[in-house]
Structure formats: C-alpha cells, structure tokens
C-alpha cells in the first residue's frame, strides 16, 4: 500500500502564510491534489494536478510537488480558510490514496 | 452545475450488503471526460477511496476492499451504484459519490449519506 503523511495540525495568524505538507515515497512522480473540508460539509477541490486551481478557488491557494513532498500554501490566510485539508495522490498501481488530513487553525 | 445525490438505506445489518445509488444531474455519466467514484469517510477520519467507474463500465477498486465491492453504472438513469458485501461495524461511515476529472481529481461531490452498520 501507499501512505501519505500530513501533520495533524497547523496554526496560522490571519493575514500570514500557511503551509501544509504531504509526504510520500517519490510523491513528486505522482499526480496530487488538495481538498478543503469544513465541518459537516463535503470536501472541496482547491488544487489539482499539483498546482492548478479550479475555477472559483481564490488565488491565495497554491500548490507544489517535488521529491517526496507536496505542499499546499495559503497566502494571506483568512478566518474562512479554517478547515481540514486533505492531500490525495494517484498512480496506476494504488489508484487513489488520501492523506490523514491537517486541521488548519486561524488564530 | 453538476449535482450528485446519494441515496440508500442509512442502516445495514452486519454481514449484509450495503447498496447505494448516486444520481447525477446537470451532467452525464456518459461523458467521456470523467470517471465516477465512491469515497467514504468514517467519523473523525480522512476519506478513503472505494473505487471508480467509467461510462464504458470499466472499474477500478481500492485493493483493500476489492473482494467486497461492486460499482456499476446505469446510463439510462444517469446513475451509478455501489454494493459492499459482508459489512461490519468498520464499514460505518459517510459515503460520498463524486465526479473524477481525468479519473483522478474529484471536482464535484454529493452531500454524503451516513451508513451505520449495526444489528
């Protein structure tokens, strides 16, 4: 099986930059994306294909993926960004795998 | 705007088969650009991918669930379905259906349905 590791929690002050990491063996060779999930809601795709933003997602969300680590960066973090964030990877043998999630707190 | 809606029993007895249907509106399961996935999420935990289906009927399943899972598509009803056999309490979760862009990125999700396995 293939495992993705995320920090359980990240804290950030309003207006600052939040970085959430996702680690996995040779993750940079795989297709990755990120989801935001608020309590009681379905996940929302915020980054796909490592660094692309779907329509309607604010420009403050960005992503990168290299080596063994993918990173979701939120610039100018707002209170509304407080949520759980999940990374997801795909390859031809394991198909879709999710990370354990990171709770982002905006203090 | 694509919408997905899960339906099915919210309570299933242990050892029985869980059956859910996802109805798609505002889009077509026959579209060649997408796969259609089932994903579940136990309370307080991260999502777990169950499997996906293409309009042709081609499927891929999570290796850990493969022996118990069947996903099918009904293009005439614009629906796809999930069957999970021999369920236990560990299968209790919110079950989501979702559209998978390029078969990988889940860009539209249903609201989810809580399925509890209990006698």
């Amino acid at each position: 099986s293939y495992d993705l590791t995320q920090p359980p929690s990240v804290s950030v002050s309003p207006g600052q930059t939040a970085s959430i990491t996702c680690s996995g063996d040779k993750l940079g060779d795989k297709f990755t994306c990120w989801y935001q999930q608020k309590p009681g809601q379905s996940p929302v795709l915020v980054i796909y294909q490592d660094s692309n933003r779907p329509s309607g997602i604010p420009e403050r969300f960005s992503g990168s993926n290299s080596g063994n680590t993918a990173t979701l960066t939120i610039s100018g973090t707002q209170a509304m960004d407080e949520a759980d964030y999940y990374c997801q990877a795909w390859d031809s043998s394991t198909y879709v795998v999710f990370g354990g999630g990171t709770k982002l707190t905006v203090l | 705007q694509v919408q997905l809606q899960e339906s099915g029993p919210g309570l299933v007895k242990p050892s029985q088969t869980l059956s859910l249907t996802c109805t798609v509106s505002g889009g077509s399961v026959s579209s060649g650009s997408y796969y259609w996935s089932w994903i579940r999420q136990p309370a307080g935990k991260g999502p777990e991918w169950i499997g996906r289906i293409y309009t042709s009927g081609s499927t891929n399943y999570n290796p850990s669930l493969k022996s118990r899972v069947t996903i099918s598509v009904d293009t005439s009803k614009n629906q796809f379905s999930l069957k999970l056999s021999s369920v236990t309490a560990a299968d209790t979760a919110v079950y989501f259906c979702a559209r998978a862009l390029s078969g990988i990125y889940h860009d539209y999700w249903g609201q989810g349905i809580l399925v509890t396995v209990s006698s």
Side-chain angles (χ1 to χ4, degrees):
Chain A
S1 64
Y2 187 79
D3 294 324
L4 294 174
T5 301
Q6 298 181 236
S9 63
V10 168
S11 297
V12 64
S13 299
Q16 298 304 303
T17 297
S19 295
I20 300 173
T21 59
C22 175
S23 300
D25 185 47
K26 298 180 181 178
L27 184 57
D29 294 339
K30 304 181 189 301
F31 298 104
T32 65
C33 63
W34 292 88
Y35 301 93
Q36 176 193 70
Q37 187 178 32
K38 296 181 178 179
Q41 298 183 17
S42 304
V44 173
L45 181 69
V46 294
I47 293 290
Y48 70 99
Q49 203 170 331
D50 296 341
S51 59
N52 293 293
R53 277 180 294 104
S55 173
I57 299 302
E59 291 184 7
R60 64 181 181 272
F61 288 87
S62 63
S64 63
N65 183 21
S66 180
N68 294 322
T69 304
T71 303
L72 173 69
T73 302
I74 309 173
S75 303
T77 307
Q78 301 182 9
M80 69 173 65
D81 300 329
E82 187 163 286
D84 293 327
Y85 289 85
Y86 296 96
C87 61
Q88 179 210 296
W90 184 92
D91 77 5
S92 58
S93 58
T94 57
Y95 301 113
V96 175
V97 177
F98 288 93
T102 298
K103 180 176 180 59
L104 177 67
T105 301
V106 182
L107 298 169
Chain B
Q1 178 80 349
V2 176
Q3 294 184 322
L4 298 93
Q5 178 70 58
E6 304 88 351
S7 59
L11 181 65
V12 181
K13 289 181 167 50
S15 80
Q16 294 190 341
T17 296
L18 178 161
S19 296
L20 297 175
T21 296
C22 182
T23 300
V24 179
S25 58
S28 172
V29 296
S30 298
S31 170
S33 301
Y34 307 102
Y35 282 71
W36 305 88
S37 291
W38 285 99
I39 296 162
R40 69 182 184 180
Q41 186 172 26
K45 296 186 177 181
E48 178 183 32
W49 180 75
I50 300 171
R52 68 180 189 178
I53 191 164
Y54 191 61
T55 181
S56 64
S58 173
T59 54
N60 301 109
Y61 299 130
N62 184 325
S64 69
L65 298 170
K66 186 175 182 178
S67 63
R68 299 194 291 131
V69 175
T70 302
I71 296 176
S72 58
V73 64
D74 186 336
T75 56
S76 67
K77 295 182 179 179
N78 216 27
Q79 296 175 333
F80 61 107
S81 299
L82 167 70
K83 291 187 184 300
L84 180 65
S85 64
S86 305
V87 297
T88 70
D91 295 309
T92 294
V94 174
Y95 285 74
F96 296 98
C97 58
R99 189 181 81 169
L101 176 65
S102 302
I104 301 171
Y105 312 113
H106 299 96
D107 59 348
Y108 285 95
W109 296 62
Q111 66 184 25
I113 183 170
L114 174 62
V115 179
T116 302
V117 178
S118 175
S119 55

